[in-house]
Amino acid sequence: MMKKELGLFLLLAVISAITGAINPAFLSFVNLLNMANLIGLFGVFALGEGLVIITGGIDLSLGSMFALLGVVFIDLLTTYQVPWPLALLLVLMGGLALGGIQGFLITRLKMQPFIVTLCGLLIYRGAARYYTSDSTRGFGYGDEASTLSNIASGNIGGIPNTFIFLIILALVLGVLLHRSVYGRWLYAVGKNEEAARFSGINTNLVIATAYVISGGLAGVSTVMFVFYTNSVSPSSFGNFYELYAIAAAVLGGCSLRGGEGSILGIVLGTALLQVLQNLVNILGIPNSLNFAVMGTVILIGVLADQQLQARRRRKAALASLARTAPKSKDSTILQSAALPTRAGDQA
Amino acid sequence: MVTPHDAGLAVLELKGIGKEFGAIRALHGVDLRISPGEVVGLMGDNGAGKSTLVKIIAGNFPPSHGEIRFDGKPVHFGRPIDARAVGIEVVYQDLALADNLTAAANVFLGRELKRKLGPFALLDHKAMAARALELFGELRSETRPHDLVKQMSGGQRQAVAIARTRLSNAKLVMMDEPTAAISVRQVEQVLSLIHRLKEQGVAVMLISHRMPDVFAVCDRVVVMRRGEKRADKAIGDTSPEEVTSLITGAKEAA
């Protein structure tokens, strides 16, 4: 049941080893910490996106949320001199509220997730640009939120706080998704919403909650990105970031049809994406090929995974045939050869 | 043999049930009694009103006319969950199972067993698997709790769906075409599952197009045509030929 994650981990290790062999700078301490920081930054909202994808939905609005919440956050701290704990709280609430609105439109008004969040992408970006008259917002020379800045972009013993936060978050969400009733319902809703409803599950609430969590994590990510870049230009801040999250989730084993995926997989998917970006730089591949490399690896990865799954299914089908057939000698051999895949029920 | 006019306490009793959708009359004046441990076949052509009747009993929508009594008491179902609460379960044709979860997870879907860990409630995988195994044992099915539903045969999937109804101790189980689209040997399995339910005193309503299955397991057959009940006979008093002519309308009533 951890086959997918194991495969992804091996892929990550092999790519890292090859890159490291070609250019040892890849494995230098500085570079590893830099990557850890980026994995932390991109992993947090990828986890939220993953939950949404497990429900069978999608959230395209994340990058624009960063821009809107980002300019509001900086404005609160600089222009309005709001104390940072309050500004932080407001941004988190803002993320939760945007996620809540999207969840409401999708579950109550039965709109398609793609459309709702695509419109979110357009609206939030437009609102951010209008609010700032398309000008970049940044911190002045004062230290408006040095405490928060130190938390968000600091490190403990050299390890970036963003990465530490991602690990803690992954553990919490891992328990939520794989050990709690809510997680079980999320998988059920994602695969067969009707079945879940017939079982007495409030499917609307389960799905909407996923969007709210995703929005809330977008709020957290906004703050981390703001202190990473120290300024927000509303037309480009967070552009395409939702696609990184979707890519990470899909690489990590989430199916866009819903009902499949794991927290560990999403984290590994994020790590793989960041390693790929990094190796483009390190190996001196022209930066313009960055997206092309990423796209190729995702395509190959998903294709390979599909082929492997199809093979496993054939084996399992053969085994169940052998099991129900009248006692034949080789049935036990076939049975043990087909280990059931248990995506969606990682214990 | 239980007859329709058995004096015993009926688990479900319908009186004059009617349903209109706008100007369309889908059901008219349906009376029906089912006793505990009785298996009733509900037959009729497409559009005869079978699904409407089942949906009314299951609480999907209320009847326009008539009264439903369950265990002797009048009941009104606003939502399916109300019907489940009194002990009516429906096993749907498409089975309403989540393919990506295990057999045990599906049996307990929406009713998960939890164990407390401080302030948190976590899934109790062990207890659920054990109870599911017990239920499959009662049904004499070889379904394994840890197997994924998507890897199962039609018969095993039925066993999972029926185990769900045992978990809640349902008093009436309605099965919608449980033997359509599965192999002959699996049909045998499903029919024996129905026998298990009967043995445990559960009333079963079998909605089916397959005459041999109805005659194999049912005590009684009810035939619907054009929204009305045209016949309600003990299996011993009728024949597949008569039921066929009732379904097609060659014979008006019996």
Side-chain angles (χ1 to χ4, degrees):
Chain A
M1 69 197 162
M2 298 287 281
K3 264 184 186 161
K4 244 179 197 175
E5 288 80 358
L6 192 65
L8 198 56
F9 181 77
L10 288 177
L11 184 64
L12 193 61
V14 168
I15 289 180
S16 300
I18 293 172
T19 315
I22 297 173
N23 186 349
F26 178 80
L27 295 173
S28 69
F29 201 57
V30 179
N31 192 48
L32 288 180
L33 289 183
N34 177 38
M35 270 196 291
N37 187 28
L38 286 167
I39 291 168
L41 286 166
F42 282 85
V44 168
F45 66 95
L47 287 175
E49 180 78 70
L51 294 185
V52 167
I53 288 177
I54 289 173
T55 69
I58 199 156
D59 193 341
L60 296 173
S61 67
L62 295 177
S64 297
M65 263 193 214
F66 297 159
L68 180 57
L69 294 174
V71 293
V72 170
F73 181 56
I74 291 185
D75 238 26
L76 284 173
L77 289 175
T78 56
T79 314
Y80 300 102
Q81 297 285 324
V82 172
W84 70 262
L86 184 61
L88 176 67
L89 187 70
L90 286 173
V91 165
L92 294 187
M93 303 252 289
L96 292 171
L98 293 179
I101 293 169
Q102 294 185 156
F104 176 82
L105 290 171
I106 289 162
T107 55
R108 284 284 155 176
L109 303 184
K110 301 288 165 216
M111 295 179 75
Q112 286 180 7
F114 190 99
I115 295 168
V116 169
T117 58
L118 177 67
C119 294
L121 175 149
L122 298 170
I123 294 168
Y124 309 148
R125 178 72 61 186
R129 292 178 64 174
Y130 177 77
Y131 177 69
T132 57
S133 313
D134 235 348
S135 64
T136 302
R137 290 295 154 100
F139 294 111
Y141 294 104
D143 41 3
E144 282 89 355
S146 56
T147 321
L148 184 58
S149 173
N150 286 338
I151 296 172
S153 58
N155 61 71
I156 296 173
I159 299 170
N161 285 351
T162 49
F163 187 73
I164 295 170
F165 180 73
L166 174 67
I167 299 301
I168 295 170
L169 181 73
L171 289 174
V172 172
L173 288 182
V175 171
L176 182 76
L177 188 60
H178 302 305
R179 301 272 176 185
S180 83
V181 174
Y182 175 75
R184 171 63 57 81
W185 290 359
L186 208 58
Y187 281 115
V189 164
K191 196 61 169 189
N192 190 344
E193 193 186 340
E194 213 183 7
R197 197 168 334 105
F198 282 137
S199 304
I201 295 171
N202 185 343
T203 54
N204 281 348
L205 188 66
V206 171
I207 293 175
T209 307
Y211 285 91
V212 171
I213 293 174
S214 178
L217 291 180
V220 176
S221 293
T222 302
V223 173
M224 300 198 319
F225 275 114
V226 163
F227 287 113
Y228 180 66
T229 59
N230 271 314
S231 71
V232 175
S233 44
S235 59
S236 65
F237 188 74
N239 236 346
F240 287 139
Y241 280 14
E242 60 279 340
L243 298 185
Y244 285 90
I246 294 167
V250 169
L251 260 182
C254 294
S255 160
L256 289 179
R257 291 191 194 90
E260 266 160 58
S262 72
I263 294 294
L264 179 60
I266 298 166
V267 172
L268 288 173
T270 307
L272 184 57
L273 278 188
Q274 292 308 323
V275 166
L276 286 176
Q277 292 221 309
N278 192 271
L279 78 82
V280 168
N281 289 330
I282 291 266
L283 297 185
I285 298 169
N287 222 345
S288 45
L289 272 176
N290 193 342
F291 281 125
V293 170
M294 231 170 14
T296 310
V297 171
I298 295 173
L299 201 64
I300 294 172
V302 172
L303 185 70
D305 180 56
Q306 259 182 14
Q307 297 300 320
L308 284 174
Q309 273 200 2
R311 226 182 61 187
R312 247 179 268 158
R313 257 201 305 277
R314 278 198 297 276
K315 264 185 175 175
L318 221 65
S320 79
L321 256 178
R323 193 161 64 232
T324 47
K327 305 260 180 277
S328 69
K329 263 182 273 172
D330 55 359
S331 66
T332 43
I333 301 165
L334 272 166
Q335 247 183 58
S336 59
L339 294 166
T341 57
R342 294 179 56 206
D345 191 35
Q346 278 92 358
Chain B
M1 179 73 45
V2 191
T3 67
H5 305 293
D6 198 335
L9 194 67
V11 59
L12 177 79
E13 193 171 5
L14 305 180
K15 274 185 194 154
I17 295 292
K19 179 74 187 174
E20 280 108 42
F21 296 103
I24 298 162
R25 195 166 76 174
L27 275 185
H28 179 68
V30 176
D31 297 330
L32 188 64
R33 277 173 62 98
I34 304 181
S35 307
E38 193 182 20
V39 182
V40 175
L42 183 62
M43 302 196 77
D45 213 345
N46 292 338
K50 290 175 305 188
S51 321
T52 311
L53 187 61
V54 169
K55 282 182 175 158
I56 286 173
I57 301 171
N60 290 59
F61 41 69
S64 312
H65 316 281
E67 189 192 27
I68 307 175
R69 294 174 82 86
F70 196 80
D71 265 348
K73 290 181 283 289
V75 285
H76 300 277
F77 304 138
R79 293 171 304 155
I81 201 145
D82 301 337
R84 295 162 60 99
V86 302
I88 298 176
E89 291 269 350
V90 188
V91 177
Y92 287 95
Q93 185 170 13
D94 47 20
L95 291 176
L97 300 178
D99 271 358
N100 55 340
L101 301 179
T102 61
N106 267 288
V107 169
F108 283 89
L109 193 58
R111 294 180 276 223
E112 284 81 1
L113 299 182
K114 285 160 268 187
R115 60 193 163 84
K116 287 271 168 208
L117 199 82
F120 304 106
L122 300 182
L123 290 170
D124 194 342
H125 292 286
K126 233 188 217 166
M128 286 192 280
R131 181 83 182 98
L133 188 65
E134 233 175 84
L135 289 170
F136 294 141
E138 273 176 38
L139 296 168
R140 283 174 234 165
S141 165
E142 284 172 19
T143 309
R144 297 180 296 190
H146 288 296
D147 280 3
L148 282 181
V149 166
K150 70 173 149 213
Q151 297 164 343
M152 292 183 174
S153 69
Q156 283 180 316
R157 294 168 65 95
Q158 285 287 348
V160 174
I162 292 170
R164 286 179 59 82
T165 71
R166 295 303 305 134
L167 185 66
S168 59
N169 269 315
K171 292 173 180 161
L172 171 66
V173 175
M174 295 190 287
M175 303 178 74
D176 187 8
E177 296 285 0
T179 51
I182 58 176
S183 74
V184 175
R185 199 175 56 234
Q186 286 165 17
V187 169
E188 292 296 318
Q189 281 180 28
V190 172
L191 296 184
S192 81
L193 288 172
I194 295 175
H195 277 300
R196 298 289 99 72
L197 288 176
K198 182 178 164 65
E199 278 168 17
Q200 294 174 33
V202 179
V204 179
M205 194 157 161
L206 176 65
I207 299 98
S208 180
H209 276 102
R210 290 173 48 103
M211 202 68 71
D213 299 346
V214 170
F215 276 80
V217 290
C218 293
D219 302 310
R220 201 147 56 86
V221 59
V222 170
V223 180
M224 302 282 299
R225 181 168 162 77
R226 296 198 175 154
E228 288 173 20
K229 189 173 92 169
R230 292 294 167 89
D232 187 341
K233 300 185 91 168
I235 277 293
D237 302 340
T238 185
S239 65
E241 292 73 24
E242 186 188 27
V243 171
T244 306
S245 59
L246 283 163
I247 291 172
T248 58
K251 188 172 174 183
E252 268 305 311

